[in-house]
Amino acid sequence: MSDCIFCKIVKGDIPCNKVYEDADVLAFDDIHPMAPVHVVVVPKNHISTLMEVDTEKTDIMNKLIAAAQKVAKIKKIDASGFRTAINCNAEGGQVVFHLHMHLLGGRKLQDPLG
Ligand code: AMP
Ligand code: ZN
């Protein structure tokens, strides 16, 4: 999508601090980190929200999780622990409408159930 910030990052039109990349997924440091490790894992193809994922036609969620495992190892928080989160729509706190998984770690995280 032409006006989507994460599509622009995937295309290389906006720079990012790349952590991991494969054919389907890009992972980069969040620009406003909420923890010592805060990585955003995105599908390269534009999907607006979690509700737009067609689980019968795509295995992108599995690919996001596989990428998250690799990111956790790259950032050396696989053993200490981390949290993943996908915000969906307004009350879920979604601001960027290109599906993404947050991966947070590097410190003891607080109760997320705000
Ligand atoms: P969400 O609230 O789940 O939509 O999260 C969007 C996330 O994208 C926020 O944590 C932002 O800090 C992050 N973000 C926005 N623009 C950029 C960017 N150019 N590079 C890296 N992260 C970004
Ligand atoms: Zn997009």
Side-chain angles (χ1 to χ4, degrees):
M1 258 183 100
S2 57
D3 61 346
C4 169
I5 190 165
F6 286 176
C7 282
K8 287 179 182 169
I9 290 174
V10 167
K11 278 176 67 185
D13 292 345
I14 292 177
C16 73
N17 189 5
K18 183 163 72 180
V19 177
Y20 171 78
E21 181 175 18
D22 61 33
D24 304 297
V25 175
L26 177 67
F28 50 91
D29 287 326
D30 196 291
I31 204 166
H32 297 302
M34 309 280 286
V37 175
H38 187 172
V39 175
V40 182
V41 186
V42 312
K44 288 187 170 178
N45 288 332
H46 183 88
I47 301 171
S48 301
T49 78
L50 187 65
M51 292 308 299
E52 267 60 60
V53 176
D54 186 337
T55 55
E56 295 187 357
K57 288 193 179 154
T58 177
D59 59 351
I60 190 61
M61 302 311 294
N62 203 39
K63 289 173 176 171
L64 290 179
I65 290 169
Q69 290 177 338
K70 293 192 169 93
V71 168
K73 287 183 177 167
I74 290 166
K75 293 287 191 178
K76 301 190 189 324
I77 56 168
D78 51 317
S80 55
F82 58 93
R83 178 174 298 151
T84 58
I86 298 175
N87 298 329
C88 185
N89 284 329
E91 292 195 359
Q94 186 172 8
V95 173
V96 176
F97 282 79
H98 177 130
L99 178 68
H100 53 280
M101 178 184 287
H102 296 261
L103 191 155
L104 297 135
R107 65 169 169 80
K108 181 81 173 83
L109 299 168
Q110 304 303 308
D111 184 349
L113 302 177

PDB file of all heavy atoms in Angstrom, residues 43-74:
ATOM      1  N   PRO A  43       4.772  -8.866   8.170  1.00  0.00           N
ATOM      2  CA  PRO A  43       4.763  -9.551   6.878  1.00  0.00           C
ATOM      3  C   PRO A  43       5.148  -8.559   5.789  1.00  0.00           C
ATOM      4  O   PRO A  43       4.807  -7.375   5.880  1.00  0.00           O
ATOM      5  CB  PRO A  43       3.304 -10.000   6.717  1.00  0.00           C
ATOM      6  CG  PRO A  43       2.515  -9.037   7.537  1.00  0.00           C
ATOM      7  CD  PRO A  43       3.409  -8.616   8.670  1.00  0.00           C
ATOM      8  N   LYS A  44       5.875  -9.036   4.772  1.00  0.00           N
ATOM      9  CA  LYS A  44       6.251  -8.122   3.677  1.00  0.00           C
ATOM     10  C   LYS A  44       5.034  -7.711   2.861  1.00  0.00           C
ATOM     11  O   LYS A  44       4.992  -6.598   2.340  1.00  0.00           O
ATOM     12  CB  LYS A  44       7.317  -8.767   2.801  1.00  0.00           C
ATOM     13  CG  LYS A  44       8.670  -8.840   3.492  1.00  0.00           C
ATOM     14  CD  LYS A  44       9.765  -9.332   2.557  1.00  0.00           C
ATOM     15  CE  LYS A  44      11.130  -9.156   3.222  1.00  0.00           C
ATOM     16  NZ  LYS A  44      12.224  -9.679   2.366  1.00  0.00           N
ATOM     17  N   ASN A  45       4.063  -8.580   2.744  1.00  0.00           N
ATOM     18  CA  ASN A  45       2.828  -8.226   2.047  1.00  0.00           C
ATOM     19  C   ASN A  45       1.904  -7.470   3.001  1.00  0.00           C
ATOM     20  O   ASN A  45       1.811  -7.804   4.178  1.00  0.00           O
ATOM     21  CB  ASN A  45       2.104  -9.477   1.542  1.00  0.00           C
ATOM     22  CG  ASN A  45       2.834 -10.103   0.375  1.00  0.00           C
ATOM     23  OD1 ASN A  45       3.529  -9.424  -0.384  1.00  0.00           O
ATOM     24  ND2 ASN A  45       2.705 -11.410   0.244  1.00  0.00           N
ATOM     25  N   HIS A  46       1.226  -6.473   2.467  1.00  0.00           N
ATOM     26  CA  HIS A  46       0.351  -5.648   3.306  1.00  0.00           C
ATOM     27  C   HIS A  46      -0.895  -6.419   3.731  1.00  0.00           C
ATOM     28  O   HIS A  46      -1.666  -6.897   2.901  1.00  0.00           O
ATOM     29  CB  HIS A  46      -0.063  -4.379   2.558  1.00  0.00           C
ATOM     30  CG  HIS A  46      -0.901  -3.473   3.401  1.00  0.00           C
ATOM     31  ND1 HIS A  46      -0.357  -2.513   4.233  1.00  0.00           N
ATOM     32  CD2 HIS A  46      -2.242  -3.404   3.585  1.00  0.00           C
ATOM     33  CE1 HIS A  46      -1.324  -1.887   4.871  1.00  0.00           C
ATOM     34  NE2 HIS A  46      -2.486  -2.409   4.494  1.00  0.00           N
ATOM     35  N   ILE A  47      -1.087  -6.511   5.038  1.00  0.00           N
ATOM     36  CA  ILE A  47      -2.331  -7.002   5.652  1.00  0.00           C
ATOM     37  C   ILE A  47      -2.651  -5.966   6.720  1.00  0.00           C
ATOM     38  O   ILE A  47      -1.780  -5.630   7.532  1.00  0.00           O
ATOM     39  CB  ILE A  47      -2.145  -8.385   6.302  1.00  0.00           C
ATOM     40  CG1 ILE A  47      -1.675  -9.426   5.281  1.00  0.00           C
ATOM     41  CG2 ILE A  47      -3.436  -8.843   6.963  1.00  0.00           C
ATOM     42  CD1 ILE A  47      -1.255 -10.766   5.893  1.00  0.00           C
ATOM     43  N   SER A  48      -3.862  -5.412   6.731  1.00  0.00           N
ATOM     44  CA  SER A  48      -4.150  -4.266   7.597  1.00  0.00           C
ATOM     45  C   SER A  48      -4.166  -4.635   9.078  1.00  0.00           C
ATOM     46  O   SER A  48      -3.537  -3.959   9.902  1.00  0.00           O
ATOM     47  CB  SER A  48      -5.500  -3.652   7.237  1.00  0.00           C
ATOM     48  OG  SER A  48      -5.488  -3.233   5.907  1.00  0.00           O
ATOM     49  N   THR A  49      -4.911  -5.661   9.417  1.00  0.00           N
ATOM     50  CA  THR A  49      -5.087  -6.014  10.830  1.00  0.00           C
ATOM     51  C   THR A  49      -5.121  -7.535  10.989  1.00  0.00           C
ATOM     52  O   THR A  49      -5.254  -8.281  10.010  1.00  0.00           O
ATOM     53  CB  THR A  49      -6.407  -5.462  11.419  1.00  0.00           C
ATOM     54  OG1 THR A  49      -7.492  -6.292  11.006  1.00  0.00           O
ATOM     55  CG2 THR A  49      -6.665  -4.023  10.991  1.00  0.00           C
ATOM     56  N   LEU A  50      -5.086  -7.957  12.242  1.00  0.00           N
ATOM     57  CA  LEU A  50      -5.204  -9.394  12.542  1.00  0.00           C
ATOM     58  C   LEU A  50      -6.504  -9.964  11.975  1.00  0.00           C
ATOM     59  O   LEU A  50      -6.554 -11.120  11.554  1.00  0.00           O
ATOM     60  CB  LEU A  50      -5.163  -9.588  14.057  1.00  0.00           C
ATOM     61  CG  LEU A  50      -5.112 -11.023  14.565  1.00  0.00           C
ATOM     62  CD1 LEU A  50      -3.818 -11.713  14.166  1.00  0.00           C
ATOM     63  CD2 LEU A  50      -5.261 -11.066  16.073  1.00  0.00           C
ATOM     64  N   MET A  51      -7.550  -9.132  11.941  1.00  0.00           N
ATOM     65  CA  MET A  51      -8.843  -9.601  11.444  1.00  0.00           C
ATOM     66  C   MET A  51      -8.837  -9.835   9.935  1.00  0.00           C
ATOM     67  O   MET A  51      -9.718 -10.520   9.411  1.00  0.00           O
ATOM     68  CB  MET A  51      -9.955  -8.606  11.809  1.00  0.00           C
ATOM     69  CG  MET A  51     -10.236  -8.534  13.295  1.00  0.00           C
ATOM     70  SD  MET A  51     -10.540 -10.141  14.058  1.00  0.00           S
ATOM     71  CE  MET A  51     -11.971 -10.696  13.165  1.00  0.00           C
ATOM     72  N   GLU A  52      -7.854  -9.262   9.242  1.00  0.00           N
ATOM     73  CA  GLU A  52      -7.761  -9.450   7.780  1.00  0.00           C
ATOM     74  C   GLU A  52      -6.937 -10.675   7.413  1.00  0.00           C
ATOM     75  O   GLU A  52      -6.813 -10.982   6.223  1.00  0.00           O
ATOM     76  CB  GLU A  52      -7.162  -8.205   7.121  1.00  0.00           C
ATOM     77  CG  GLU A  52      -8.182  -7.190   6.638  1.00  0.00           C
ATOM     78  CD  GLU A  52      -9.057  -6.659   7.753  1.00  0.00           C
ATOM     79  OE1 GLU A  52      -8.521  -6.075   8.709  1.00  0.00           O
ATOM     80  OE2 GLU A  52     -10.291  -6.855   7.693  1.00  0.00           O
ATOM     81  N   VAL A  53      -6.359 -11.366   8.384  1.00  0.00           N
ATOM     82  CA  VAL A  53      -5.575 -12.565   8.067  1.00  0.00           C
ATOM     83  C   VAL A  53      -6.531 -13.693   7.695  1.00  0.00           C
ATOM     84  O   VAL A  53      -7.412 -14.055   8.489  1.00  0.00           O
ATOM     85  CB  VAL A  53      -4.709 -12.997   9.274  1.00  0.00           C
ATOM     86  CG1 VAL A  53      -3.972 -14.293   8.950  1.00  0.00           C
ATOM     87  CG2 VAL A  53      -3.726 -11.905   9.645  1.00  0.00           C
ATOM     88  N   ASP A  54      -6.381 -14.221   6.487  1.00  0.00           N
ATOM     89  CA  ASP A  54      -7.183 -15.368   6.054  1.00  0.00           C
ATOM     90  C   ASP A  54      -6.401 -16.629   6.402  1.00  0.00           C
ATOM     91  O   ASP A  54      -5.512 -17.052   5.677  1.00  0.00           O
ATOM     92  CB  ASP A  54      -7.446 -15.290   4.553  1.00  0.00           C
ATOM     93  CG  ASP A  54      -8.404 -16.389   4.084  1.00  0.00           C
ATOM     94  OD1 ASP A  54      -8.515 -17.420   4.779  1.00  0.00           O
ATOM     95  OD2 ASP A  54      -9.008 -16.220   3.018  1.00  0.00           O
ATOM     96  N   THR A  55      -6.735 -17.213   7.536  1.00  0.00           N
ATOM     97  CA  THR A  55      -5.929 -18.325   8.048  1.00  0.00           C
ATOM     98  C   THR A  55      -6.058 -19.583   7.202  1.00  0.00           C
ATOM     99  O   THR A  55      -5.255 -20.504   7.332  1.00  0.00           O
ATOM    100  CB  THR A  55      -6.310 -18.644   9.504  1.00  0.00           C
ATOM    101  OG1 THR A  55      -7.715 -18.895   9.564  1.00  0.00           O
ATOM    102  CG2 THR A  55      -5.951 -17.492  10.428  1.00  0.00           C
ATOM    103  N   GLU A  56      -7.063 -19.613   6.325  1.00  0.00           N
ATOM    104  CA  GLU A  56      -7.195 -20.782   5.436  1.00  0.00           C
ATOM    105  C   GLU A  56      -6.357 -20.632   4.184  1.00  0.00           C
ATOM    106  O   GLU A  56      -6.064 -21.610   3.498  1.00  0.00           O
ATOM    107  CB  GLU A  56      -8.669 -21.003   5.079  1.00  0.00           C
ATOM    108  CG  GLU A  56      -9.478 -21.379   6.309  1.00  0.00           C
ATOM    109  CD  GLU A  56     -10.907 -21.774   5.978  1.00  0.00           C
ATOM    110  OE1 GLU A  56     -11.302 -21.710   4.811  1.00  0.00           O
ATOM    111  OE2 GLU A  56     -11.615 -22.134   6.920  1.00  0.00           O
ATOM    112  N   LYS A  57      -5.968 -19.386   3.872  1.00  0.00           N
ATOM    113  CA  LYS A  57      -5.235 -19.160   2.622  1.00  0.00           C
ATOM    114  C   LYS A  57      -3.770 -18.817   2.833  1.00  0.00           C
ATOM    115  O   LYS A  57      -3.008 -18.782   1.873  1.00  0.00           O
ATOM    116  CB  LYS A  57      -5.896 -18.029   1.828  1.00  0.00           C
ATOM    117  CG  LYS A  57      -7.223 -18.425   1.226  1.00  0.00           C
ATOM    118  CD  LYS A  57      -7.683 -17.403   0.213  1.00  0.00           C
ATOM    119  CE  LYS A  57      -8.999 -17.821  -0.407  1.00  0.00           C
ATOM    120  NZ  LYS A  57      -9.779 -16.680  -0.894  1.00  0.00           N
ATOM    121  N   THR A  58      -3.384 -18.511   4.080  1.00  0.00           N
ATOM    122  CA  THR A  58      -1.995 -18.104   4.297  1.00  0.00           C
ATOM    123  C   THR A  58      -1.471 -18.693   5.603  1.00  0.00           C
ATOM    124  O   THR A  58      -2.236 -18.903   6.545  1.00  0.00           O
ATOM    125  CB  THR A  58      -1.858 -16.573   4.334  1.00  0.00           C
ATOM    126  OG1 THR A  58      -0.503 -16.245   4.628  1.00  0.00           O
ATOM    127  CG2 THR A  58      -2.749 -15.947   5.382  1.00  0.00           C
ATOM    128  N   ASP A  59      -0.171 -18.920   5.628  1.00  0.00           N
ATOM    129  CA  ASP A  59       0.469 -19.368   6.869  1.00  0.00           C
ATOM    130  C   ASP A  59       1.362 -18.263   7.430  1.00  0.00           C
ATOM    131  O   ASP A  59       2.364 -18.535   8.082  1.00  0.00           O
ATOM    132  CB  ASP A  59       1.256 -20.661   6.653  1.00  0.00           C
ATOM    133  CG  ASP A  59       2.347 -20.513   5.609  1.00  0.00           C
ATOM    134  OD1 ASP A  59       2.386 -19.459   4.924  1.00  0.00           O
ATOM    135  OD2 ASP A  59       3.167 -21.442   5.476  1.00  0.00           O
ATOM    136  N   ILE A  60       0.964 -17.014   7.190  1.00  0.00           N
ATOM    137  CA  ILE A  60       1.816 -15.894   7.609  1.00  0.00           C
ATOM    138  C   ILE A  60       1.978 -15.827   9.124  1.00  0.00           C
ATOM    139  O   ILE A  60       3.045 -15.430   9.607  1.00  0.00           O
ATOM    140  CB  ILE A  60       1.287 -14.545   7.048  1.00  0.00           C
ATOM    141  CG1 ILE A  60       2.318 -13.440   7.278  1.00  0.00           C
ATOM    142  CG2 ILE A  60      -0.070 -14.174   7.646  1.00  0.00           C
ATOM    143  CD1 ILE A  60       3.650 -13.657   6.612  1.00  0.00           C
ATOM    144  N   MET A  61       0.968 -16.252   9.891  1.00  0.00           N
ATOM    145  CA  MET A  61       1.121 -16.179  11.347  1.00  0.00           C
ATOM    146  C   MET A  61       2.225 -17.123  11.820  1.00  0.00           C
ATOM    147  O   MET A  61       3.010 -16.783  12.715  1.00  0.00           O
ATOM    148  CB  MET A  61      -0.196 -16.501  12.058  1.00  0.00           C
ATOM    149  CG  MET A  61      -1.351 -15.597  11.674  1.00  0.00           C
ATOM    150  SD  MET A  61      -0.954 -13.835  11.748  1.00  0.00           S
ATOM    151  CE  MET A  61      -0.694 -13.593  13.491  1.00  0.00           C
ATOM    152  N   ASN A  62       2.290 -18.289  11.201  1.00  0.00           N
ATOM    153  CA  ASN A  62       3.368 -19.225  11.529  1.00  0.00           C
ATOM    154  C   ASN A  62       4.734 -18.632  11.175  1.00  0.00           C
ATOM    155  O   ASN A  62       5.708 -18.777  11.922  1.00  0.00           O
ATOM    156  CB  ASN A  62       3.137 -20.528  10.772  1.00  0.00           C
ATOM    157  CG  ASN A  62       3.824 -21.697  11.426  1.00  0.00           C
ATOM    158  OD1 ASN A  62       3.852 -21.793  12.645  1.00  0.00           O
ATOM    159  ND2 ASN A  62       4.405 -22.568  10.624  1.00  0.00           N
ATOM    160  N   LYS A  63       4.770 -17.929  10.050  1.00  0.00           N
ATOM    161  CA  LYS A  63       6.035 -17.305   9.631  1.00  0.00           C
ATOM    162  C   LYS A  63       6.432 -16.175  10.579  1.00  0.00           C
ATOM    163  O   LYS A  63       7.620 -15.983  10.856  1.00  0.00           O
ATOM    164  CB  LYS A  63       5.902 -16.803   8.197  1.00  0.00           C
ATOM    165  CG  LYS A  63       5.855 -17.951   7.198  1.00  0.00           C
ATOM    166  CD  LYS A  63       5.553 -17.487   5.791  1.00  0.00           C
ATOM    167  CE  LYS A  63       5.622 -18.677   4.837  1.00  0.00           C
ATOM    168  NZ  LYS A  63       5.128 -18.330   3.495  1.00  0.00           N
ATOM    169  N   LEU A  64       5.441 -15.431  11.073  1.00  0.00           N
ATOM    170  CA  LEU A  64       5.757 -14.372  12.047  1.00  0.00           C
ATOM    171  C   LEU A  64       6.318 -14.981  13.326  1.00  0.00           C
ATOM    172  O   LEU A  64       7.273 -14.460  13.914  1.00  0.00           O
ATOM    173  CB  LEU A  64       4.509 -13.542  12.364  1.00  0.00           C
ATOM    174  CG  LEU A  64       3.969 -12.623  11.261  1.00  0.00           C
ATOM    175  CD1 LEU A  64       2.716 -11.900  11.767  1.00  0.00           C
ATOM    176  CD2 LEU A  64       4.997 -11.611  10.788  1.00  0.00           C
ATOM    177  N   ILE A  65       5.742 -16.089  13.760  1.00  0.00           N
ATOM    178  CA  ILE A  65       6.223 -16.736  14.987  1.00  0.00           C
ATOM    179  C   ILE A  65       7.620 -17.317  14.774  1.00  0.00           C
ATOM    180  O   ILE A  65       8.501 -17.189  15.639  1.00  0.00           O
ATOM    181  CB  ILE A  65       5.222 -17.808  15.454  1.00  0.00           C
ATOM    182  CG1 ILE A  65       3.947 -17.133  15.960  1.00  0.00           C
ATOM    183  CG2 ILE A  65       5.826 -18.689  16.554  1.00  0.00           C
ATOM    184  CD1 ILE A  65       2.788 -18.068  16.204  1.00  0.00           C
ATOM    185  N   ALA A  66       7.843 -17.917  13.610  1.00  0.00           N
ATOM    186  CA  ALA A  66       9.184 -18.446  13.316  1.00  0.00           C
ATOM    187  C   ALA A  66      10.207 -17.311  13.313  1.00  0.00           C
ATOM    188  O   ALA A  66      11.329 -17.459  13.837  1.00  0.00           O
ATOM    189  CB  ALA A  66       9.174 -19.163  11.965  1.00  0.00           C
ATOM    190  N   ALA A  67       9.830 -16.165  12.745  1.00  0.00           N
ATOM    191  CA  ALA A  67      10.738 -15.008  12.742  1.00  0.00           C
ATOM    192  C   ALA A  67      10.959 -14.498  14.166  1.00  0.00           C
ATOM    193  O   ALA A  67      12.081 -14.129  14.528  1.00  0.00           O
ATOM    194  CB  ALA A  67      10.167 -13.910  11.854  1.00  0.00           C
ATOM    195  N   ALA A  68       9.905 -14.485  14.978  1.00  0.00           N
ATOM    196  CA  ALA A  68      10.039 -14.028  16.372  1.00  0.00           C
ATOM    197  C   ALA A  68      11.021 -14.916  17.134  1.00  0.00           C
ATOM    198  O   ALA A  68      11.823 -14.422  17.933  1.00  0.00           O
ATOM    199  CB  ALA A  68       8.676 -14.022  17.052  1.00  0.00           C
ATOM    200  N   GLN A  69      10.979 -16.218  16.888  1.00  0.00           N
ATOM    201  CA  GLN A  69      11.943 -17.118  17.537  1.00  0.00           C
ATOM    202  C   GLN A  69      13.372 -16.746  17.143  1.00  0.00           C
ATOM    203  O   GLN A  69      14.283 -16.722  17.985  1.00  0.00           O
ATOM    204  CB  GLN A  69      11.668 -18.568  17.146  1.00  0.00           C
ATOM    205  CG  GLN A  69      10.384 -19.137  17.729  1.00  0.00           C
ATOM    206  CD  GLN A  69      10.121 -20.553  17.251  1.00  0.00           C
ATOM    207  OE1 GLN A  69      10.637 -20.967  16.204  1.00  0.00           O
ATOM    208  NE2 GLN A  69       9.320 -21.289  17.991  1.00  0.00           N
ATOM    209  N   LYS A  70      13.560 -16.450  15.870  1.00  0.00           N
ATOM    210  CA  LYS A  70      14.908 -16.087  15.391  1.00  0.00           C
ATOM    211  C   LYS A  70      15.338 -14.747  15.998  1.00  0.00           C
ATOM    212  O   LYS A  70      16.490 -14.596  16.427  1.00  0.00           O
ATOM    213  CB  LYS A  70      14.929 -16.039  13.866  1.00  0.00           C
ATOM    214  CG  LYS A  70      14.721 -17.421  13.252  1.00  0.00           C
ATOM    215  CD  LYS A  70      15.025 -17.417  11.761  1.00  0.00           C
ATOM    216  CE  LYS A  70      15.081 -18.850  11.227  1.00  0.00           C
ATOM    217  NZ  LYS A  70      13.807 -19.314  10.686  1.00  0.00           N
ATOM    218  N   VAL A  71      14.420 -13.789  16.050  1.00  0.00           N
ATOM    219  CA  VAL A  71      14.739 -12.483  16.636  1.00  0.00           C
ATOM    220  C   VAL A  71      15.126 -12.648  18.107  1.00  0.00           C
ATOM    221  O   VAL A  71      16.092 -12.043  18.580  1.00  0.00           O
ATOM    222  CB  VAL A  71      13.548 -11.518  16.486  1.00  0.00           C
ATOM    223  CG1 VAL A  71      13.748 -10.268  17.344  1.00  0.00           C
ATOM    224  CG2 VAL A  71      13.350 -11.134  15.022  1.00  0.00           C
ATOM    225  N   ALA A  72      14.383 -13.471  18.837  1.00  0.00           N
ATOM    226  CA  ALA A  72      14.686 -13.688  20.258  1.00  0.00           C
ATOM    227  C   ALA A  72      16.097 -14.245  20.429  1.00  0.00           C
ATOM    228  O   ALA A  72      16.825 -13.851  21.354  1.00  0.00           O
ATOM    229  CB  ALA A  72      13.652 -14.629  20.874  1.00  0.00           C
ATOM    230  N   LYS A  73      16.510 -15.128  19.535  1.00  0.00           N
ATOM    231  CA  LYS A  73      17.877 -15.669  19.607  1.00  0.00           C
ATOM    232  C   LYS A  73      18.902 -14.620  19.215  1.00  0.00           C
ATOM    233  O   LYS A  73      19.947 -14.489  19.864  1.00  0.00           O
ATOM    234  CB  LYS A  73      17.996 -16.908  18.720  1.00  0.00           C
ATOM    235  CG  LYS A  73      17.278 -18.107  19.321  1.00  0.00           C
ATOM    236  CD  LYS A  73      17.464 -19.345  18.473  1.00  0.00           C
ATOM    237  CE  LYS A  73      16.780 -20.533  19.152  1.00  0.00           C
ATOM    238  NZ  LYS A  73      16.650 -21.695  18.274  1.00  0.00           N
ATOM    239  N   ILE A  74      18.620 -13.868  18.156  1.00  0.00           N
ATOM    240  CA  ILE A  74      19.543 -12.809  17.718  1.00  0.00           C
ATOM    241  C   ILE A  74      19.758 -11.798  18.839  1.00  0.00           C
ATOM    242  O   ILE A  74      20.878 -11.345  19.093  1.00  0.00           O
ATOM    243  CB  ILE A  74      18.985 -12.119  16.449  1.00  0.00           C
ATOM    244  CG1 ILE A  74      19.057 -13.065  15.245  1.00  0.00           C
ATOM    245  CG2 ILE A  74      19.738 -10.813  16.158  1.00  0.00           C
ATOM    246  CD1 ILE A  74      18.229 -12.619  14.050  1.00  0.00           C
TER     247      ILE A  74
END
